[in-house]
């Protein structure tokens, strides 16, 4: 007759079960690519070429994510508003934007939205342009990097809005009603009651969205923005070292995304422990 072993009675076995073998495999892979970068002259040259794109990738990601959070918060507040018109407009925005692929949205903003914005600005500034005070703007004045940032902002704001909305609606409505009955304004109710509790709910998914944006930032290479992917594309096309180049490209993205994913997981575990405490 066999008996089931209690895992709590065998701490060493429990430790073996929770060893993240997948992480060890990724670390080993990273060490191998890192060694190739140090020891191989081709890899070293590729690394020097692509490392300049890291700053552009992070710049685009951080700016776009910050703007997406601000826009997403505004949309989430509209979706939870008591005014039906605001709710309908915000819902229309989120449903439309979430249904468009990021790459399509990128092209639309870059080649449709940007010319329309330039035309509208020129129309508003017609008196100054006619007087010779300022020159007429052209599409070239709208930098491609900022077109990419606006596209990512719009695309991710709809998803982030849903994250914010879920966090806001997770707060007990009784607390909100009690705050209003005490005479707190809607803004103070949100700042003192809703936001501190909602932040515990929204931080982990926000972290996941940030990791996703780092990966989707590679799409800006379609506009010629000099990020990691674009530099890798140009370098590999010039010397046909596709294998080595895209190994380094993947290594750079994996380093950023896995590091951030581990931070998000650690944050989730910490918040879970605090919640149980």
């Amino acid at each position: 007759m066999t008996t089931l072993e209690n895992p709590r009675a065998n701490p060493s076995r429990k430790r073996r079960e929770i060893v993240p073998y997948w992480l060890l495999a990724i670390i080993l892979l990273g060490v191998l690519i890192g060694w190739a970068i140090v020891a191989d002259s081709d890899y070293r040259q590729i690394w020097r070429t692509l490392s300049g794109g890291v700053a552009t990738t992070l710049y685009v990601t951080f700016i776009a994510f910050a703007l997406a959070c601000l826009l997403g918060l505004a949309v989430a507040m509209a979706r939870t508003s008591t005014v039906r018109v605001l709710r309908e407009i915000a819902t229309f925005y989120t449903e439309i934007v979430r249904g468009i692929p990021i790459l399509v949205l990128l092209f639309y903003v870059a080649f449709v939205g940007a010319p329309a914005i330039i035309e509208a600005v020129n129309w508003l500034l017609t008196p100054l342009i006619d007087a010779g005070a300022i020159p007429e703007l052209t599409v070239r004045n709208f930098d491609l990097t900022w077109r990419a940032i606006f596209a990512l902002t719009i695309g991710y704001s709809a998803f982030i809005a849903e994250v914010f909305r879920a966090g806001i609606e997770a707060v007990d409505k009784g607390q909100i009603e009690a705050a209003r009955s005490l005479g707190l304004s809607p803004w103070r109710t949100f700042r003192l009651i809703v936001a501190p509790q909602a932040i515990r709910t929204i931080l982990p998914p926000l972290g996941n969205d940030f990791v996703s944006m780092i990966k989707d930032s590679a799409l800006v290479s379609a506009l010629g923005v000099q990020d990691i992917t674009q530099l890798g594309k140009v370098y590999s096309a010039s010397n046909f070292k596709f294998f080595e180049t895209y190994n380094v490209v993947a290594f750079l993205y994996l380093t950023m995304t896995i590091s951030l994913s581990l931070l998000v997981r650690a944050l989730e575990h910490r918040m879970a422990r605090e919640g149980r405490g």
Side-chain angles (χ1 to χ4, degrees):
M1 180 176 179
T2 60
T3 58
L4 295 176
E5 182 181 356
N6 184 1
R8 294 185 178 180
N10 191 345
S12 61
R13 178 182 176 183
K14 185 177 180 181
R15 284 194 297 270
R16 289 196 301 270
E17 290 176 350
I18 65 174
V19 170
Y21 293 116
W22 62 269
L23 181 58
L24 295 178
I26 290 175
I27 292 174
L28 177 60
L29 181 62
V31 169
L32 292 176
I33 296 178
W35 173 253
I37 292 172
V38 172
D40 190 283
S41 59
D42 289 335
Y43 274 100
R44 284 200 303 273
Q45 179 58 44
I46 295 169
W47 174 266
R48 286 193 294 267
T49 302
L50 301 188
S51 58
V54 174
T56 301
T57 295
L58 293 178
Y59 172 78
V60 169
T61 302
F62 277 108
I63 299 297
F65 189 76
L67 294 176
C69 284
L70 293 176
L71 182 57
L73 179 59
V75 173
M77 296 294 290
R79 288 209 67 185
T80 57
S81 172
T82 56
V83 181
R84 181 176 179 180
V85 174
L86 290 178
R87 292 201 309 271
E88 295 292 341
I89 293 174
T91 303
F92 175 82
Y93 175 84
T94 56
E95 294 299 326
I96 290 294
V97 173
R98 289 195 302 167
I100 301 175
I102 295 294
L103 184 59
V104 175
L105 189 61
L106 192 73
F107 287 139
Y108 193 89
V109 171
F111 303 119
V112 179
I117 291 173
I118 293 297
E119 185 177 348
V121 171
N122 283 333
W123 179 78
L124 291 172
L125 299 178
T126 298
L128 296 176
I129 294 173
D130 291 342
I134 59 174
E136 184 177 4
L137 298 177
T138 66
V139 177
R140 292 181 179 274
N141 296 122
F142 202 153
D143 185 65
L144 285 172
T145 300
W146 276 101
R147 298 187 207 185
I149 288 173
F150 287 151
L152 290 174
T153 296
I154 294 171
Y156 269 81
S157 64
F159 294 96
I160 291 176
E162 290 300 284
V163 172
F164 280 125
R165 183 176 68 87
I168 292 172
E169 293 181 347
V171 178
D172 185 11
K173 294 188 180 298
Q175 298 184 37
I176 299 175
E177 294 173 357
R180 298 301 300 275
S181 66
L182 292 175
L184 293 180
S185 65
W187 166 244
R188 293 192 66 190
T189 300
F190 177 79
R191 182 170 62 87
L192 299 176
I193 306 298
V194 177
Q197 299 182 68
I199 197 70
R200 297 172 61 89
T201 304
I202 67 176
L203 273 181
L206 274 184
N208 292 328
D209 281 340
F210 184 73
V211 173
S212 296
M213 184 177 281
I214 288 180
K215 293 185 291 185
D216 282 342
S217 69
L219 296 174
V220 306
S221 63
L223 298 182
V225 177
Q226 299 296 302
D227 70 329
I228 297 171
T229 304
Q230 176 65 10
L231 292 178
K233 186 192 308 182
V234 172
Y235 185 86
S236 60
S238 65
N239 53 32
F240 302 101
K241 295 184 182 297
F242 294 99
F243 179 77
E244 296 87 348
T245 300
Y246 285 104
N247 276 343
V248 178
V249 170
F251 174 74
L252 288 170
Y253 279 111
L254 282 172
T255 300
M256 292 186 289
T257 56
I258 291 178
S259 299
L260 288 170
S261 296
L262 292 175
L263 287 175
V264 171
R265 291 190 182 193
L267 178 63
E268 289 178 351
H269 291 317
R270 180 176 179 180
M271 294 177 70
R273 288 196 302 269
E274 291 178 353
R276 289 194 298 267

